[in-house]
Amino acid sequence: MAKLMNVDNPNNTSKEDTLELQFVSEHALSIPTFKMLDENGELYKGAMASSMDKETAIRIYETMRFIRVFDERMLAAQRQGRISFYMQCLGEEAAVTASAAALEDQDMIFAQYREQAALAYRGFSLEQFMHQNFSNAKDLGKGRQMPIHYGSKELNYCTISSPLGTQIPQAAGYAYGQKLKGNKATTICYFGEGAASEGDFHAGLNMAAVHKAPVLFFARNNGYAISTPAHEQFKGDGIAVRGVGYGMKSIRVDGVDALAVFEAVKMAREYAVENNEPVLIESIAYRLAAHSSSDDPTGYREKAEEDTFRANCPIERFRKFMLKQGWLDEAEDEKAKERIKTEVLDALKASEKVEKPALEEIVTDVYAEVPEHLQKQYDQLKEHIKKYPEAYPGTSGRLGESN
């Protein structure tokens, strides 16, 4: 049965009238940035008390420390030609890790491509990261994706899609499904401020608001959409105000402050699950690294700008907080960094020696039986590789009789 229209207010707008002719200013709504921890690792005077316990804080710190080392090593591997592509989380480790820490294990994650720290916090192993980046036979995606396009059904982390912003309406739909099933869970959807200019952003937020889907839209405002600075991307007060326009709760948080991110996402999760409503969270940070290993930021920003934000390191800020709490030993911390470097390098060397997936797996897994048209394409591909083996040195040598 169709829902009845509200005959008193079919336009679903405010019924307040005015006889005064004037525009509403584009700055009529300005959202402050929620903070807790200053650059010295101290709580701001008057800041709320943190609810983060020692165990969670240690896990967040260890994840950020691991991702910093892992990113550095994998970018070097890309420069050496050992992997084809890479994207770093540099500068946004606190935003991604602390937001993931505020979730429950049953909550779903839809990432964009810079949220490897969220997956690491969930428990994705170093070996699993390596196998994916090398697209080898042990990769969960069987080599079908570019590097850093992770996914894990076991850890409720939806496989990353390359097209920008497509995960936003997907997350809204997934969260709506959680609501229909009566699950006490939410879905978090990460994206950059550049993706907020895509049509998928507006479609996803409107759909989630109208259908009351318990999804957390997490906008990483890191200052740049590849080479385009934020002031050339949009007008108005950032991304958070757009959530208000779509009729949902919104909050802006200091993305360099792990404590603030944790509390903001924790509150947003509780609200979304209890009320079956979406929340928009805008994280303010700075993308210290290049957009990807294919980008050169020296062409569009000054080194002095990077140095300014490099001094505002999210890991260092949280490390100072941990030391003041007595939750971290400085000497042990240094030893741990060296141990992680060794473990990452050893895993890299081992993973690049693992053989590639079997060719026929290119058409398996999607359907219970391989459809006729895919089988035909696979047979044509196989014959093509056999005809021009010199063009496919990594594959032609593995085409045995069974192929």
Side-chain angles (χ1 to χ4, degrees), residues 110 158-159 161 165-176 187 189 204 207:
F110 279 76
C158 187
T159 302
S161 300
T166 53
Q167 77 277 18
I168 301 173
Q170 291 168 1
Y174 190 91
Y176 185 58
T187 291
C189 178
M207 180 168 65

Side-chain angles (χ1 to χ4, degrees), residues 147-213:
I148 67 93
H149 285 55
Y150 308 109
S152 172
K153 184 176 181 180
E154 180 184 6
L155 298 176
N156 287 329
Y157 191 99
C158 187
T159 302
I160 292 168
S161 300
S162 284
L164 188 66
T166 53
Q167 77 277 18
I168 301 173
Q170 291 168 1
Y174 190 91
Y176 185 58
Q178 291 173 313
K179 169 187 170 181
L180 294 181
K181 290 179 180 178
N183 295 345
K184 286 292 183 183
T186 188
T187 291
I188 192 168
C189 178
Y190 294 97
F191 52 91
E193 87 287 342
S197 298
E198 295 285 327
D200 280 338
F201 169 83
H202 301 282
L205 264 68
N206 193 50
M207 180 168 65
V210 170
H211 294 289
K212 296 183 179 299

Side-chain angles (χ1 to χ4, degrees), residues 2-22:
K3 294 181 179 177
L4 294 177
M5 179 185 294
N6 182 345
V7 294
D8 292 329
N9 188 12
N11 304 107
N12 196 25
T13 61
S14 168
K15 295 182 72 176
E16 183 180 357
D17 296 326
T18 180
L19 300 178
E20 195 175 336
L21 182 60
Q22 63 176 0

